Amino acid sequence: MRPVRVLQAHSRHATRGGADAVLDSDAELLRAAGHEVVQHLAEPAGRVAATREAVDAVWNRRAVAALDRTLSEHRTDVLHVHTPFPLLSPAVFRVARRHGVPTVTTVHGFRYSCVAGTLQRDGTPCEACVGRRVKVAGVLHRCYHGSAPASLALTTSLAVHRGTLRHCVDRYLPLTEFAKHVLVRDGVPAERVTVRPNCVADPGPVLPASARSTAALFVGRLVEEKGVRTLLTAWRTVRDVPLHVLGDGPLRPLVEAEAAVNPLIVVRGWCDEATVRAEQARAAMTVVPSEWYEAGPPLVLLQALAAGTPVVCSDLENICATAAAAGAASTFRTGDPVALADAVRRLHEDPDLRAGRSRAARELYLRDHTARASLRSLEQVYRELTKEGT
């Protein structure tokens, strides 16, 4: 397509996260393809009370004025918002509408439908606010940083901007079909929602299943919602399958205590990306036991697909649906260590199953998760919104 000028807008958080990585990856892809990218970033101003953040999320006048100036100074074909909350506020979509600029937003979580942004409460999935005009449950349960005033302010933002989010956003880009359905249930017109999966770098040729180790791999933060306790309990009954744990977090002492009495568990701690890629390349399987929806399939699952590594994952639709349908993943009942252990044993004991899962994983990666596929899908959205060729 002809080169377009894209203005990326994003609310930075104190800690760099997945949304920041996707923002920068998109910018790199677009620039390499000849498009012009300008970034409008709202930086956090040190420690700010949760209530102040949530109030800004209703209508941040400073952010609105700053974006208005940027749009006036730079000819823009598309405004692509990655995270409007809390620093920009959804008001930025109205500013773009005034300038006649089409808008796109990548949906990195569930903040448009859920005050917590995670569809999780008290350690379990929760959809109490999905489809509700006013997210009352989010206030009652203090879902935003455990604060009733902050939760009320963010709930007010979602209510005030209900019209903004339905009429001033031209295209939503969730990562999965599940996330698309959540948006539609919450009132977003289906024709304004396009699923665009995340991408990861290609690690190159895949090691055949017959040449891999017998080890299973867990990569991620050692926190409750990642299913760490379920994983450890499952490995008390697994035999002959080493478990390599790559990651760090508050549950690390629990993992190390379990490893002290189970020689199959090897705790590697935090590892750099090169090490993770090397481990993915030779692992027999990657285990993803998450017990919350996540924003989409976690990075470790996509890296496993790229490496042609079979996946064993919890049966939450937002995580497993595509990989399971493609034959790349075995699923187990979320939070059930017996079911997890059974899934691991079946994969370990069946070399033909492992080989088939490996081929399917790589094929799914090449279809949906390469940089080329990601760029192509993004360009298609921009082409439709800028009406190129019409």
Side-chain angles (χ1 to χ4, degrees), residues 72-278:
S72 298
E73 294 167 359
H74 297 273
R75 184 178 70 78
T76 302
D77 294 312
V78 178
L79 172 67
H80 191 145
V81 179
H82 279 259
T83 306
F85 299 107
L87 302 175
L88 292 175
S89 83
V92 295
F93 295 115
R94 290 185 174 271
V95 177
R97 178 57 58 95
R98 289 203 307 268
H99 282 265
V101 175
T103 56
V104 176
T105 182
T106 296
V107 184
H108 293 285
F110 301 100
R111 186 76 72 194
Y112 293 119
S113 306
C114 166
V115 173
T118 58
L119 292 186
Q120 183 186 32
R121 179 165 57 84
D122 296 333
T124 59
C126 172
E127 299 180 28
C129 288
V130 178
R132 302 286 184 179
R133 181 177 294 272
V134 180
K135 316 298 186 185
V136 175
V139 180
L140 295 177
H141 296 290
R142 304 183 178 192
C143 290
Y144 190 72
H145 294 297
S147 165
S151 298
L152 176 60
L154 194 56
T155 299
T156 301
S157 175
L158 291 172
V160 167
H161 287 291
R162 187 174 177 84
T164 304
L165 297 175
R166 279 144 193 78
H167 304 299
C168 296
V169 180
D170 295 297
R171 193 66 57 88
Y172 289 84
L173 302 181
L175 308 180
T176 65
E177 288 290 339
F178 173 84
K180 174 181 178 176
H181 295 326
V182 170
L183 288 168
V184 172
R185 286 170 54 197
D186 218 45
V188 175
E191 62 272 15
R192 295 193 179 200
V193 186
T194 299
V195 175
R196 180 183 174 238
N198 275 339
C199 69
V200 293
D202 191 339
V206 169
L207 195 66
S210 59
R212 292 171 178 255
S213 75
T214 60
L217 191 66
F218 171 90
V219 181
R221 291 178 297 122
L222 302 182
V223 293
E224 296 286 353
E225 58 266 29
K226 290 292 186 179
V228 172
R229 292 183 188 274
T230 299
L231 179 72
L232 296 177
T233 302
W235 241 261
R236 293 173 185 171
T237 60
V238 170
R239 298 289 182 267
D240 304 322
V241 183
L243 172 65
H244 292 188
V245 179
L246 280 62
D248 208 344
L251 292 185
R252 181 165 179 170
L254 178 68
V255 177
E256 291 177 334
E258 194 70 22
V261 297
N262 187 342
L264 286 174
I265 300 176
V266 179
V267 184
R268 300 282 299 278
W270 181 90
C271 296
D272 60 27
E273 186 173 348
T275 301
V276 172
R277 286 181 180 277

Side-chain angles (χ1 to χ4, degrees), residues 274-293:
T275 301
V276 172
R277 286 181 180 277
E279 290 294 318
Q280 285 280 21
R282 57 177 171 257
M285 66 189 79
T286 290
V287 183
V288 184
S290 291
E291 295 178 3
W292 71 294
Y293 286 124

Side-chain angles (χ1 to χ4, degrees), residues 307-357:
T309 303
V311 174
V312 177
C313 62
S314 52
D315 61 358
L316 291 172
E317 182 183 351
N318 200 44
I319 298 173
C320 76
T322 304
S330 301
T331 64
F332 66 93
R333 189 165 52 253
T334 301
D336 186 338
V338 175
L340 170 54
D342 286 345
V344 169
R345 278 193 293 267
R346 285 196 300 272
L347 196 58
H348 171 69
E349 294 168 0
D350 190 336
D352 291 336
L353 179 60
R354 289 200 308 278
R357 293 268 190 263

